[in-house]
Amino acid sequence: MPETMRAVDIKGDVGSAEALYITDIPKPHPKGAQALVRVKAFGINRADIMQRDGEYPAPPQAGRILGLEFAGVIETLGEDHETSFKIGDEAFGLVYGGAYAEYVVVSTHMLIHKPANLSWEECAGIPETWLTATKVMYQVGEFTPGKSILWHAGASGVSISGIQLAIANGASAVYATARSDAKCDFCVKTLGCTAAFKTTDPNWADEALKVTDGKGVDIIADLIGPAVFAGNLKIAARDARVVLIGLMSGFKLKEEVDMGLLAFKRIRYEGSTLRSRNESYQRKLKDSLVEHALPKFEAGLFKVYVEKVFPWEQVVDAHKFMESNTIMGKIICTIR
């Protein structure tokens, strides 16, 4: 068996999309509860862009190769692997890094059996986005049926997942924001949102408050950051939860903010990342997804919206497409 494999690396460790290239690196070996998976497809995520640019320090166990989610075939197993998996099984899962490669080592505790009715591309687009959405809603946002929720960047992978979860699990209203009319229409007409608001409109928060009859929103999932911080405080209901999981508009506030709203409304504003969590935390989310969401994928009630599939030799183009901010769904790369 070859001791090397092909993987996507970054010239100079950080750089633009053009810095990505495919090279040969040592093939990893599974230990303990791990599996070695031959990758058939992997997902592109905003965190990959930030890490490539040097703006997202990866956890130590991630390694230098990008990639957080994948789908593929188990090739070998460590001596203490979960007994529900065997060599040759088709599976998908979440990793701290390394999915942009022909092979990836992953804990079997984080693997999920691939449903027969889902493609490699669809399965590769589930782990990062759906686990993040589950964390935002339940672990941090404290969602219960009857609460309202707003998902910023409504056409992103995480928010598409979260919108479906919220509707299926009894939200009283599900709102979204986006930067274009087309994306707002997608959120309402395709995904089923109650309403969507265009954040390029300076009055978007006033419109959102009007739609809620002045009550505001119970949970806000924020993938944008500084550009919507003041708006979030305005549209938050009393005792609302705002969960910051993305910084698409940068790292620093550029406008004055009425901090009194934060206190008087008793808003809890909390930042959260999934990648920095230990395996025990991630495993609980995975188990929740397998129990509650996977049957809905198998029944066709939940859907992975794949915007475009690239052969992995075109990973530079895939990253540029992500950076265009025009997508409505997941970007997937396949390895043949």
Side-chain angles (χ1 to χ4, degrees):
M1 185 179 295
E3 288 301 312
T4 62
M5 66 174 183
R6 293 185 300 161
V8 177
D9 206 342
I10 308 170
K11 296 174 185 175
D13 296 332
V14 297
S16 65
E18 284 83 359
L20 299 174
Y21 73 107
I22 296 176
T23 187
D24 290 325
I25 66 170
K27 186 177 179 180
H29 297 279
K31 301 175 183 177
Q34 294 177 332
L36 178 70
V37 177
R38 178 164 50 87
V39 177
K40 303 286 285 185
F42 58 83
I44 306 293
N45 288 282
R46 188 70 56 176
D48 302 337
I49 307 296
M50 293 177 68
Q51 183 178 338
R52 188 206 71 207
D53 285 341
E55 296 178 346
Y56 191 134
Q61 66 270 44
R64 63 179 289 113
I65 302 301
L66 301 174
L68 306 176
E69 57 186 352
F70 66 91
V73 180
I74 296 176
E75 180 139 315
T76 57
L77 289 158
E79 62 275 12
D80 297 320
H81 65 87
E82 279 197 12
T83 57
S84 61
F85 292 98
K86 64 182 186 301
I87 292 173
D89 280 355
E90 298 177 346
F92 63 100
L94 184 76
V95 284
Y96 289 102
Y100 285 25
E102 290 180 312
Y103 294 90
V104 64
V105 163
V106 56
S107 168
T108 52
H109 301 315
M110 293 306 299
L111 279 177
I112 302 170
H113 288 283
K114 175 184 173 296
N117 64 316
L118 294 184
S119 67
W120 293 116
E121 293 84 354
E122 289 172 316
C123 286
I126 292 175
E128 172 67 14
T129 53
W130 283 83
L131 291 179
T132 297
T134 299
K135 176 200 67 172
V136 167
M137 278 182 59
Y138 291 101
Q139 302 285 49
V140 186
E142 299 180 344
F143 174 84
T144 53
K147 288 187 176 182
S148 59
I149 185 167
L150 180 141
W151 294 87
H152 281 297
S156 67
V158 170
S159 291
I160 289 172
S161 307
I163 289 165
Q164 292 181 77
L165 279 172
I167 292 172
N169 289 287
S172 60
V174 181
Y175 305 105
T177 69
R179 291 182 55 83
S180 69
D181 290 327
K183 288 185 178 183
C184 286
D185 287 344
F186 170 75
C187 291
V188 174
K189 296 176 181 178
T190 301
L191 300 179
C193 283
T194 309
F197 314 100
K198 196 162 65 170
T199 49
T200 52
D201 179 353
N203 298 314
W204 73 267
D206 295 323
E207 291 299 315
L209 204 57
K210 186 186 302 182
V211 169
T212 65
D213 294 323
K215 176 184 179 296
V217 181
D218 297 313
I219 302 169
I220 299 169
D222 184 5
L223 292 79
I224 299 176
V228 296
F229 185 87
N232 287 343
L233 298 185
K234 180 177 284 190
I235 67 171
R238 196 172 297 276
D239 296 311
R241 302 288 185 259
V242 183
V243 188
L244 179 65
I245 54 170
L247 294 160
M248 293 171 64
S249 65
F251 293 81
K252 296 182 179 180
L253 291 173
K254 299 177 182 178
E255 60 180 316
E256 292 185 358
V257 174
D258 183 357
M259 297 300 290
L261 295 173
L262 192 66
F264 299 141
K265 289 186 178 183
R266 302 190 298 268
I267 300 168
R268 190 178 77 189
Y269 214 116
E270 184 170 344
S272 183
T273 61
L274 178 59
R275 195 179 187 186
S276 62
R277 296 287 190 174
N278 61 32
E279 185 181 298
S280 175
Y281 182 96
Q282 293 186 358
R283 183 180 181 181
K284 289 177 182 177
L285 289 175
K286 184 221 68 173
D287 290 343
S288 176
L289 185 147
V290 170
E291 180 180 357
H292 299 292
L294 197 61
K296 290 184 172 66
F297 280 110
E298 294 171 327
L301 301 175
F302 281 167
K303 181 178 178 180
V304 182
Y305 288 83
V306 176
E307 171 76 5
K308 191 168 183 179
V309 177
F310 292 85
W312 79 315
E313 292 87 355
Q314 296 176 17
V315 66
V316 170
D317 294 328
H319 270 231
K320 288 181 177 180
F321 190 41
M322 170 70 81
E323 292 173 314
S324 73
N325 294 323
T326 60
I327 61 174
M328 291 183 278
K330 291 292 297 186
I331 301 172
I332 304 296
C333 285
T334 55
I335 301 178
R336 302 301 181 190

